[in-house]
Amino acid sequence: MSYTLEDLAADCHAAIAADPGPAGREAVRKHLERALADAAFVDDHLGKHATQPRSLLYQDPDFGFCIFAHVYDGAKAAPPHDHAGSWAVYGQAKGVTEMTEWRKVKAPEGGQPGLVEPLKVYELKPGMAVVYNESDIHSPRREAPTRLIRIEGKNLDGVKRDPYEPVPKGRAAE
């Protein structure tokens, strides 16, 4: 029997109800990896018919978390960012995403972006999911088409995020 969107949503709801903190999000990550391992789930939500870069699949009426499908047809990179006081779980379904985690060196202020330096770089491969808690700064980069499911602690559409940029090469971290 296939693992459905309804199953994933219910399992995530139960996990957040049991623990809205990092332990609950880790349970959400595991449920997402279960969904990513189900070929029918991936085809239903990220198959050839899926063409929109970002599609809302589910929004929880009690906790506000959202499940989104993301479809990228070519190379794409995002600058370092957090999720504006929320959390997110990225789950790779197809393709590979290079993810960089960053350490905040200087907070944004006076209209200037904050500064960050890289901590860790790794690849998200199909079937893998990772949690980014509040204030975790990261940046994805894709060289080829990718498809993923992202679960956000709240819908981040239109949410203003602080800008960050890497410490310039040759400049010592403050």
Side-chain angles (χ1 to χ4, degrees), residues 1-12 28 31-50 57-58 67-70 91-94 147-151:
M1 187 161 109
S2 183
Y3 190 62
T4 67
L5 177 62
E6 292 76 17
D7 296 331
L8 175 61
D11 287 345
C12 290
V28 167
H31 295 308
L32 180 52
E33 284 189 342
R34 178 177 175 197
L36 296 170
D38 188 299
F41 179 95
V42 171
D43 189 54
D44 284 349
H45 303 291
L46 294 166
K48 291 182 182 186
H49 66 281
L57 301 177
Y58 173 83
I67 302 173
F68 285 94
H70 288 262
Q92 195 74 28
K94 296 181 181 184
R147 294 175 184 251
L148 60 107
I149 298 289
R150 189 166 87 182
I151 302 175

Side-chain angles (χ1 to χ4, degrees), residues 25-121:
R25 295 171 203 154
E26 176 61 18
V28 167
R29 184 193 68 76
K30 290 176 181 177
H31 295 308
L32 180 52
E33 284 189 342
R34 178 177 175 197
L36 296 170
D38 188 299
F41 179 95
V42 171
D43 189 54
D44 284 349
H45 303 291
L46 294 166
K48 291 182 182 186
H49 66 281
T51 58
Q52 296 299 311
R54 180 173 162 91
S55 300
L56 177 64
L57 301 177
Y58 173 83
Q59 184 163 0
D60 189 82
D62 298 322
F63 299 112
F65 71 84
C66 298
I67 302 173
F68 285 94
H70 288 262
V71 174
Y72 301 107
D73 288 329
K76 181 172 177 61
H81 64 276
D82 61 18
H83 289 112
S86 188
W87 54 268
V89 181
Y90 286 64
Q92 195 74 28
K94 296 181 181 184
V96 175
T97 299
E98 179 186 274
M99 197 65 81
T100 302
E101 294 183 10
W102 302 85
R103 181 182 74 83
K104 186 187 308 186
V105 174
K106 182 179 178 188
E109 66 176 310
Q112 295 297 310
L115 296 176
V116 292
E117 61 185 12
L119 287 174
K120 174 165 79 167
V121 178

Side-chain angles (χ1 to χ4, degrees), residues 54 68 152 154-159 161:
R54 180 173 162 91
F68 285 94
E152 301 172 354
K154 65 180 180 182
N155 188 331
L156 296 173
D157 287 343
V159 172
R161 301 178 198 189

